Amino acid sequence: MKEINRPVTDLNTFVRLCERLNGEKYLAVDTEFTRTRTYLPKLELIQIASAKLVFCVDVPCISDWSSLREVVNSSGTAVVLHSADQDLEALAQFDLLPLRILDSQIAAQLCGAQKLSYKNIVEEYLGIELAKDQTRSNWSKRPLSTEQIQYALDDVRYILPLFQVLHDQLQQMDRLSWLYEESARLLEQSDHGLTADNAWKSFSGGATLNFHDQQLAKQLLIWREKRAKLINRPRQWIMSDHQIADLVRNKPQSVQVTAHILGKKRHRIPNWVSSVHAMLSVETPNTHYPIWISWKSLNSDQKRQINELLVQINLFATEMELPASLLCTRQEAVEAVCGEFSARMFSGWRWEIVGSMIESWLEANDFKRVNLPKPLAPEFPK
């Protein structure tokens, strides 16, 4: 394998290297980025490896990405990444989302691996010990050190050999189609991205709020996501989760009190405080349907049903040497008992593997596999 041990900074060289990638069945890709002061990851380095070539590209130096875009959008090429979520988010900013991806971390999960970091899996399957001393390195500083460049190249050079081992093992286990399905789902999620309308789902404090306050919190989270993306600053800089919970619980009566809860930050402007305050005074519909569900809010029958479902899932997972969370997460079990059934659980290979068991469980507990209607969200000021 030919290695170019200095970052590519010249456009003509970059184009020639991309031409050498045409026709490859598999390409390995990794990225290095910074994200301490921005909403979006700031892509600094792209590492690429084929069966014959490994190199990295200094992103700020390249003005035209069309040659690489053509390669990753080829129907005959699958791009292999490890733990692809954030890499895909970074690549999407340059319109470099591949047409087809395969995730070696997902492949390792499906093979039954317990430790899923790149370092651990490379050591387990290839017997190679990688240094990870540059993990928290400053990738925006130039020039990059020799250690940084070597670390970056190591992060991509072993992906294809690793993937080949995992691919062969999955083929023997008759699970290769599972990898294709999971990777396609991951790519689809990345293509749609984390939008303002779905970012609220990861709010950690929602389950502690009453139903009315949950409605308010959801709208504040949507508003925060839009503002963070607009000015490209971390969402917690706009308004922290703790501040959102405080606001919806206390519902300050004046803009001044709202401003006091939000605190003084250089990126916040007065009309934002007014917008937040206005949202807190909008009436929400009466509802007994929670947006976030906590374990404490469940009754004893629901807790029993969840535990029964999880026991069955764990038995299946143990028998198949898979992580139980890969079949059904605890949160998915909670939502199922409360009438919300994850599309992930009821489609594809999961349904083929554990579908009959889940179907029997639903029937025994008098559930129907449909989504319950949710109340319409109230209108809030823009």
Side-chain angles (χ1 to χ4, degrees):
M1 177 186 290
K2 181 179 179 180
E3 175 182 311
I4 299 174
N5 56 16
R6 300 179 69 178
V8 175
T9 57
D10 173 68
L11 181 58
N12 290 331
T13 303
F14 172 65
V15 171
R16 287 197 299 271
L17 288 171
C18 287
E19 288 172 352
R20 294 178 60 180
L21 301 175
N22 286 321
E24 293 285 347
K25 184 177 181 180
Y26 297 114
L27 284 179
V29 172
D30 189 49
T31 66
E32 306 298 342
F33 53 84
T34 55
R35 200 178 195 167
T36 55
R37 302 173 63 85
T38 58
Y39 173 85
L40 296 168
K42 184 175 182 291
L43 193 55
E44 302 289 354
L45 209 63
I46 299 178
Q47 305 97 276
I48 302 171
S50 68
K52 301 176 182 178
L53 178 67
V54 58
F55 64 97
C56 60
V57 184
D58 196 341
V59 171
C61 296
I62 303 301
S63 57
D64 182 357
W65 293 94
S66 57
S67 53
L68 181 58
R69 191 173 298 123
E70 182 179 345
V71 171
V72 299
N73 278 289
S74 168
S75 59
T77 300
V79 174
V80 186
L81 308 101
H82 189 85
S83 188
D85 308 61
Q86 293 191 72
D87 293 318
L88 293 173
E89 187 180 5
L91 292 168
Q93 296 176 65
F94 293 84
D95 195 22
L96 290 174
L97 277 182
L99 183 65
R100 295 169 55 220
I101 71 161
L102 295 165
D103 191 317
S104 56
Q105 186 178 70
I106 294 174
Q109 274 188 302
L110 293 171
C111 287
Q114 299 298 314
K115 297 180 179 179
L116 298 173
S117 72
Y118 181 64
K119 181 181 187 301
N120 287 329
I121 293 176
V122 167
E123 187 170 353
E124 178 179 349
Y125 286 90
L126 300 181
I128 298 170
E129 189 170 347
L130 297 176
K132 299 300 285 184
D133 55 320
Q134 299 296 320
T135 301
R136 301 297 179 188
S137 186
N138 181 1
W139 294 101
S140 64
K141 187 178 180 180
R142 295 295 184 273
L144 294 170
S145 68
T146 302
E147 291 77 15
Q148 284 178 301
I149 296 167
Q150 189 62 45
Y151 169 91
L153 292 174
D154 281 348
D155 260 6
V156 76
R157 79 168 78 245
Y158 299 113
I159 288 180
L160 291 186
L162 171 65
F163 174 73
Q164 190 60 60
V165 173
L166 295 169
H167 176 280
D168 292 347
Q169 188 169 330
L170 288 174
Q171 198 165 38
Q172 291 176 359
M173 301 169 77
D174 198 24
R175 295 181 180 180
L176 204 51
S177 62
W178 301 3
L179 172 63
Y180 296 155
E181 181 185 322
E182 291 298 295
S183 297
R185 179 183 287 111
L186 179 60
L187 181 59
E188 182 182 10
Q189 290 170 348
S190 298
D191 192 26
H192 293 308
L194 183 66
T195 67
D197 290 332
N198 64 28
W200 55 268
K201 294 180 180 179
S202 61
F203 180 53
S204 58
T208 64
L209 304 173
N210 64 42
F211 295 169
H212 173 267
D213 290 350
Q214 285 189 9
Q215 290 278 338
L216 290 176
K218 178 180 175 180
Q219 298 309 314
L220 287 176
L221 289 160
I222 291 172
W223 178 90
R224 180 182 73 175
E225 200 71 18
K226 290 178 178 178
R227 293 304 177 275
K229 188 173 184 179
L230 180 67
I231 66 169
N232 195 24
R233 287 292 181 266
R235 58 181 65 86
Q236 297 290 333
W237 285 25
I238 306 299
M239 187 163 46
S240 71
D241 287 0
H242 179 72
Q243 287 171 331
I244 288 175
D246 275 355
L247 286 167
V248 299
R249 283 195 183 100
N250 297 315
K251 300 177 187 63
Q253 298 301 304
S254 69
V255 175
Q256 290 75 18
V257 177
T258 299
H260 177 74
I261 292 175
L262 290 174
K264 295 180 180 179
K265 290 199 174 180
R266 61 185 179 277
H267 53 271
R268 191 175 290 128
I269 54 179
N271 64 313
W272 288 14
V273 177
S274 299
S275 296
V276 170
H277 184 73
M279 280 188 276
L280 294 170
S281 61
V282 173
E283 290 188 12
T284 60
N286 291 327
T287 177
H288 297 290
Y289 197 101
I291 296 173
W292 295 278
I293 304 167
S294 72
W295 181 258
K296 290 182 179 179
S297 68
L298 302 175
N299 61 42
S300 57
D301 283 342
Q302 289 172 322
K303 291 178 180 179
R304 174 186 56 78
Q305 290 164 345
I306 290 167
N307 286 329
E308 287 177 1
L309 177 57
L310 289 173
V311 165
Q312 295 300 315
I313 293 292
N314 284 329
L315 288 173
F316 266 82
T318 301
E319 183 180 336
M320 303 188 69
E321 297 183 346
L322 287 172
S325 61
L326 194 61
L327 295 177
C328 173
T329 65
R330 183 180 184 84
Q331 185 60 31
E332 284 173 329
V334 169
E335 290 170 355
V337 165
C338 295
E340 275 291 302
F341 301 107
S342 164
R344 190 183 81 129
M345 284 175 60
F346 292 94
S347 62
W349 67 270
R350 284 180 184 80
W351 185 249
E352 293 175 8
I353 298 304
V354 296
S356 59
M357 181 276 292
I358 296 177
E359 193 82 83
S360 299
W361 180 85
L362 291 172
E363 291 175 0
N365 288 278
D366 197 28
F367 285 113
K368 294 181 179 179
R369 184 155 50 93
V370 294
N371 288 332
L372 298 180
K374 289 187 176 181
L376 294 175
E379 291 294 324
F380 285 83
K382 303 292 184 184

